Amino acid sequence: MAPEPPLEGEAERLDQLTTTHGLAAADPAGMAGLITALPDQLRAVPAEVGAQIAQSGARPGLVIAAGMGGSAIAADCAAAISAEAGAAAVIPWRNYGLPTWAGDDAMFVAISYSGNTEETLSGYAAARERQLRRFAITSGGELAAMCAEDNVPVYSIPEGQPPRTALGWLLMPLLEGLSAAGVLQPALPQSIDETAEALHRLADELAPYRPSRSNPAKLLALRFWQALPVVYGVEPLCHVAAYRWKCQLNENAKMLAISGGLPEQNHNEVLAWGRIAEQAPNSFPVWLRTTGPFGDSRMTQRVEATRRVLGSDVDSVEVRACSGSSLTQLLWLCLYGDFVSLYCALLGGVDPTAIGAIDALKLAMSKA
Ligand code: PA5
């Protein structure tokens, strides 16, 4: 279902904010450009690092992919892609140390854009202590130094950007590293080209210069920015995308947002919609969906049944990925949400790049 037409004045205001001149003032650090550049990050990664990983041991029983925030989402994406491919378990880990159940056949991957995130460094130190097979993805920092000391393979990625704008740089080496370790089939170059092309097309469709009347991300932001956004993933790949939407709304637009997924929503959260008019009057659910082989007719029936239960007072919007591989569809949905969060930030008058509270917490913890 298409979003309802927004207020004319707000749409015009958003279009003013997204001219070149408007963006220079409202988006001084250039988040719009960084979001648009995601497809350029999907290039092949250095083969030498993969060769080092391949030589470092036999196929692991499972993979613990550790990271936080904007780095951890790459672990979620790899876990979903790996599950879709029926490969060994990839388990995202957002905490200190290692999970207690990590056995000696586990492989540890440290993912930290800055290389200085204390939870991820603590996981690396625990994996080092246990002599687990491991590799890292980082732009530098202490993580790169520890890996150099241990002669552990590292995918070095470009520095100087907010981690959440480096999803391609973080995810592609992770997928490559998992292939090198024998966990996943290697991605074929033509399938990576397909993904990049699909993302370029989407980035153009949702670009700032496209006016609100023909830009679905702007239309959605115009409805979202004063509401409590609720994003549900239908198929498992979409659960990750829904969580990425939530995090991008948190970090870029500085908004609370809820993410969840079917079928679990039907067993708890569905009840809350009965009181939504009291709690969050402008809210409506956005359903993220895949196209083609990742869906299942039972889930389509479930979406329809859920919409009926929510009732005609609760409007809902569906965002369906273009066809393509699991990588294409997942990144397509993520990029869509990135643009929605950007436009919510601009409408709310906040700098999409600034993350003052996260920086303050990291500083406080480093002194504690
Ligand atoms: O978006 C952000 O800046 C954060 O969510 C960071 O990604 C998070 O704090 C972890 O830092 P890093 O990605 O450098 O390990």
Side-chain angles (χ1 to χ4, degrees):
M1 188 185 301
E4 270 173 13
L7 297 172
E8 271 306 305
E10 290 294 272
E12 261 172 44
R13 183 167 76 85
L14 181 54
D15 289 341
Q16 288 301 318
L17 287 165
T18 49
T19 59
T20 309
H21 183 68
L23 280 175
D27 178 23
M31 180 58 77
L34 296 174
I35 288 174
T36 306
L38 173 64
D40 302 330
Q41 296 181 2
L42 307 184
R43 51 173 189 248
V45 295
E48 315 83 75
V49 185
Q52 255 183 294
I53 295 170
Q55 281 157 18
S56 68
R59 184 179 189 267
L62 62 83
V63 178
I64 299 162
M68 302 301 299
S71 290
I73 196 75
D76 293 331
C77 290
I81 289 169
S82 177
E84 205 51 69
V90 176
I91 300 171
W93 178 247
R94 290 174 163 88
N95 215 323
Y96 290 90
L98 285 175
T100 48
W101 40 257
D104 291 342
D105 67 340
M107 175 175 232
F108 181 82
V109 189
I111 311 162
S112 171
Y113 184 80
S114 62
N116 289 322
T117 298
E118 71 170 50
E119 297 92 323
T120 315
L121 292 174
S122 142
Y124 182 90
R128 170 199 258 174
E129 178 81 23
R130 290 268 313 273
Q131 299 187 351
L132 293 186
R133 191 175 168 206
R134 57 197 184 274
F135 71 94
I137 302 163
T138 186
S139 70
E142 206 172 317
L143 181 58
M146 287 167 98
C147 291
E149 215 173 277
D150 298 348
N151 201 21
V152 157
V154 179
Y155 288 103
S156 295
I157 59 174
E159 60 183 353
Q161 286 191 195
R164 62 191 183 281
T165 66
L167 179 55
W169 284 335
L170 294 162
L171 178 59
M172 298 312 284
L174 179 53
L175 296 176
E176 283 284 319
L178 294 176
S179 315
V183 170
L184 264 182
Q185 290 294 317
L188 298 172
Q190 59 268 37
S191 85
I192 297 176
D193 290 347
E194 170 215 88
T195 305
E197 276 163 30
L199 297 186
H200 274 302
R201 277 197 301 276
L202 182 68
D204 183 53
E205 193 190 327
L206 306 182
Y209 73 86
R210 297 257 181 217
S212 293
R213 65 174 178 281
S214 58
N215 185 328
K218 285 187 176 178
L219 288 173
L220 192 46
L222 284 158
R223 293 191 64 199
F224 250 179
W225 78 279
Q226 287 178 308
L228 173 65
V230 181
V231 190
Y232 293 129
V234 178
E235 295 81 21
L237 280 172
C238 304
H239 294 189
V240 173
Y243 185 67
R244 165 74 172 187
W245 279 52
K246 180 203 101 73
C247 295
Q248 291 291 79
L249 286 160
N250 298 154
E251 290 196 55
N252 291 343
K254 285 74 177 166
M255 290 171 73
L256 279 180
I258 292 174
S259 68
L262 286 183
E264 179 66 9
Q265 189 267 13
N266 283 183
H267 300 272
N268 34 61
E269 211 165 299
V270 68
L271 291 168
W273 285 93
R275 292 190 57 199
I276 198 70
E278 293 160 61
Q279 213 184 358
N282 299 323
S283 287
F284 59 95
V286 172
W287 302 98
L288 303 186
R289 307 242 24 207
T290 54
T291 294
F294 310 110
D296 152 337
S297 59
R298 197 76 188 130
M299 292 307 283
T300 298
Q301 288 165 350
R302 207 172 258 285
V303 174
E304 283 159 12
T306 309
R307 280 181 167 170
R308 279 196 298 276
V309 168
L310 297 188
S312 54
D313 288 351
V314 177
D315 187 15
S316 55
V317 172
E318 182 175 288
V319 175
R320 192 180 277 273
C322 69
S323 60
S325 65
S326 54
L327 178 69
T328 301
Q329 299 207 28
L330 181 47
L331 290 183
W332 191 100
L333 289 168
C334 289
L335 183 59
Y336 200 115
D338 290 358
F339 277 107
V340 173
S341 71
L342 169 74
Y343 298 136
C344 284
L346 300 177
L347 284 162
V350 294
D351 176 353
T353 307
I355 50 162
I358 296 178
D359 291 339
L361 270 163
K362 285 189 179 179
L363 186 64
M365 290 304 292
S366 72
K367 289 183 178 161

